[in-house]
C-alpha cells in the first residue's frame, strides 16, 4: 500500500446522502441512509459490504445514473479544477453530468460492464472513440494511445477487434476498466472492478488502480473482495443495510486493532486466510428493516440498547463496539429526500 501523497485536497465531500425508491403503490424503500464521507486526492476509500447493502446505489447516485423512481437527498460536492468547490453531483442536471463530469472529472468502472459497451461496435472502436474524445489524439497517436490504455487494463490487443458478445466476463470487465482509465479523471469510481478475474488479474488490476491513486487522484473502490481492498485502500468504509457502520484506516482495519463493529469483524473473519467463518444469518430486506440497529438480529452482542438506531460516532455505529481506537467521524443525521 502506498504511503500516500502530499496532496491532501478533498476531491469529494459527501454529506447525509440518502436514496430511496418509490414503488407503484406509493411506498418508498430506503436503499441508502445518511451516508457521509470525504475522499482526498491521492487516497483510496474502499466501500465494502455484502451484496444489497447499498454500495452500487451510492455510486449511481453520485453519477446521476439512478432510475426515475429514485429520490435523493443530501449533498456530494465535487472539487473544482481550481481552489473553488465544483458542482453538487446530487443537484446537477443531466447536461452538466454528461458534458463535464462523467469521463472527464469522474471515471467509472461499472459493475455490469456488458451493459456499458455498445453491442454493435468492436471494443477497439469504442476504446479509440473514448481516447479521441477525452484526449484529442488523432491518427497514429490515437492508435498508440488506444493500445497503451488497453495494456494498462490488461486487455489483450488481439481482442480489440471483437464485439462485446464475444468477450468473457473477465474480458468485458477489463475493457470497461480501460475506458474508465482513458481520461485519467481526478476521481475514479470502481464498482466491483475485479469481478470475473482470476487472482493474478485481480492483483494486476488492483495495482493499476493503486498506481492511478498514487499519481494524486482519488479512488472510491466498491467491492466485496476484501483481499483486493487490503491491497489498494488507505481507508475502509463498511456498509450494512444502507448505512456506514464503520469507517477506519486500512492499517487499523486489516491489522491491529482490527474492526470494531461486529459485522465488520465478521466480514474479515469470513476470509479463507483468516477464520473462514461466515457471518451468521442473512441481511435484512430493505422494506423490512428491524427497529434500531439493523444488524442486531445477527449479532451476539445485541441487547435492549440495540433497539435504538446507533449513529456513526468515533468511526463506528454500534452500541457495543469491540474497542475504542479509530479516529472520530461525524454522525450522519436523517435527511429529507428530493426528487432525482
Amino acid at each position: 500500500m502506498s504511503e500516500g501523497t502530499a496532496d491532501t485536497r478533498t476531491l469529494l465531500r459527501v454529506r447525509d446522502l440518502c436514496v430511496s425508491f418509490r414503488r407503484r403503490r406509493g411506498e418508498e424503500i430506503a436503499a441508502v441512509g445518511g451516508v457521509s464521507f470525504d475522499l482526498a486526492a491521492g487516497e483510496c476509500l474502499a466501500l465494502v459490504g455484502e451484496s444489497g447493502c447499498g454500495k452500487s446505489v451510492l455510486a449511481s447516485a453520485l453519477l446521476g445514473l439512478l432510475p426515475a423512481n429514485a429520490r435523493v437527498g443530501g449533498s456530494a460536492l465535487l472539487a473544482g479544477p481550481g481552489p473553488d468547490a465544483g458542482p453538487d453531483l446530487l443537484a446537477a442536471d443531466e447536461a452538466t453530468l454528461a458534458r463535464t463530469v462523467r469521463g472527464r472529472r469522474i471515471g467509472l468502472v461499472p459493475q455490469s460492464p456488458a451493459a456499458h459497451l455498445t453491442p454493435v461496435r468492436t471494443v477497439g472502436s469504442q476504446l479509440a472513440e473514448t481516447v479521441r474524445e477525452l484526449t484529442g489524439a488523432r491518427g497514429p497517436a490515437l492508435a498508440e494511445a488506444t493500445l497503451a490504455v488497453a495494456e494498462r487494463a490488461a486487455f489483450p490487443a488481439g481482442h480489440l477487434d471483437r464485439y462485446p458478445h464475444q468477450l468473457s466476463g473477465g474480458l468485458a470487465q477489463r475493457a470497461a476498466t480501460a475506458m474508465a482509465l482513458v481520461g485519467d479523471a481526478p476521481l475514479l469510481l470502481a464498482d466491483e472492478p475485479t469481478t470475473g478475474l482470476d487472482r493474478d488479474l485481480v492483483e494486476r488490476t488492483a495495482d493499476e488502480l493503486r498506481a492511478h491513486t498514487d499519481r494524486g487522484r482519488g479512488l472510491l473502490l466498491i467491492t466485496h473482495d476484501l483481499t483486493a481492498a487490503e491491497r489498494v485502500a488507505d481507508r475502509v468504509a463498511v456498509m450494512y443495510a444502507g448505512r456506514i457502520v464503520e469507517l477506519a484506516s486500512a492499517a487499523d482495519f486489516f491489522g491491529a486493532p482490527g474492526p470494531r463493529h461486529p459485522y465488520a469483524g465478521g466480514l474479515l473473519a469470513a476470509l479463507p486466510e483468516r477464520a473462514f467463518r461466515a457471518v451468521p444469518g442473512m441481511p435484512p430486506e430493505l422494506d423490512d428493516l428491524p427497529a434500531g440497529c439493523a444488524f442486531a438480529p445477527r449479532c451476539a452482542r445485541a441487547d435492549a440498547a440495540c433497539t435504538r438506531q446507533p449513529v456513526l460516532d468515533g468511526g463506528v455505529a454500534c452500541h457495543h463496539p469491540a474497542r475504542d481506537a479509530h479516529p472520530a467521524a461525524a454522525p450522519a443525521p436523517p435527511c429529507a429526500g428530493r426528487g432525482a
Side-chain angles (χ1 to χ4, degrees):
M1 188 181 305
S2 167
E3 294 298 326
T5 174
D7 189 350
T8 58
R9 292 177 302 115
T10 298
L11 292 179
L12 179 66
R13 184 182 299 275
V14 176
R15 292 293 180 270
D16 310 329
L17 172 57
C18 301
V19 180
S20 62
F21 295 98
R22 187 184 300 109
R23 288 183 168 176
R24 290 183 179 179
R25 292 177 293 180
E27 70 269 31
E28 292 197 3
I29 305 301
V32 176
V35 167
S36 297
F37 63 86
D38 291 347
L39 181 61
E43 179 188 37
C44 171
L45 174 64
L47 192 61
V48 304
E50 291 168 298
S51 297
C53 69
K55 305 186 302 294
S56 294
V57 172
L58 186 153
S60 295
L62 295 177
L63 286 171
L65 298 176
L66 293 170
N69 68 328
R71 287 170 57 84
V72 298
S75 63
L77 297 178
L78 182 66
D84 298 330
D88 180 350
L89 299 173
L90 305 185
D93 57 35
E94 173 59 25
T96 298
L97 293 171
R99 295 172 186 170
T100 67
V101 174
R102 298 184 196 127
R104 291 172 172 80
R105 297 175 67 181
I106 302 181
L108 172 67
V109 180
Q111 184 179 30
S112 302
H116 288 253
L117 297 172
T118 303
V120 296
R121 298 180 57 196
T122 65
V123 172
S125 68
Q126 295 180 63
L127 188 54
E129 180 182 48
T130 304
V131 172
R132 182 172 58 248
E133 180 68 20
L134 295 181
T135 70
R138 298 290 188 276
L142 175 60
E144 182 178 345
T146 301
L147 288 173
V149 77
E151 171 64 19
R152 285 178 65 186
F155 188 89
H159 288 56
L160 287 170
D161 61 351
R162 295 192 177 185
Y163 292 88
H165 73 272
Q166 296 175 308
L167 303 179
S168 66
L171 280 174
Q173 186 68 59
R174 282 180 271 168
T177 300
M179 291 186 183
L181 293 172
V182 168
D184 282 321
L187 176 60
L188 184 64
L189 302 186
D191 191 357
E192 302 290 1
T194 58
T195 298
L197 305 182
D198 61 35
R199 183 46 56 182
D200 287 344
L201 283 173
V202 166
E203 292 178 355
R204 177 167 176 172
T205 299
D207 290 346
E208 180 57 46
L209 293 174
R210 183 67 242 182
H212 179 87
T213 308
D214 289 341
R215 289 189 285 268
R217 302 177 179 92
L219 171 63
L220 180 59
L221 173 65
I222 296 171
T223 185
H224 63 269
D225 186 342
L226 290 177
T227 301
E230 183 176 12
R231 193 177 182 93
V232 177
D234 298 293
R235 288 189 298 147
V236 177
V238 181
M239 283 193 75
Y240 188 78
R243 295 179 178 272
I244 291 180
V245 297
E246 183 159 357
L247 183 60
S249 74
D252 285 345
F253 186 85
F254 291 108
R260 296 173 60 200
H261 195 283
Y263 173 65
L267 287 181
L268 208 54
L271 293 176
E273 61 270 27
R274 304 231 179 188
F276 204 26
R277 182 179 61 248
V279 181
M282 296 292 292
E285 297 293 336
L286 294 178
D287 59 354
D288 189 28
L289 292 177
C293 176
F295 186 64
R298 306 173 69 183
C299 182
R301 303 180 201 166
D303 61 16
C306 302
T307 59
R308 304 189 311 273
Q309 176 69 54
V311 296
L312 190 66
D313 185 20
V316 63
C318 181
H319 295 296
H320 307 292
R323 43 180 78 85
D324 295 318
H326 297 334
C335 64
R338 67 169 177 265

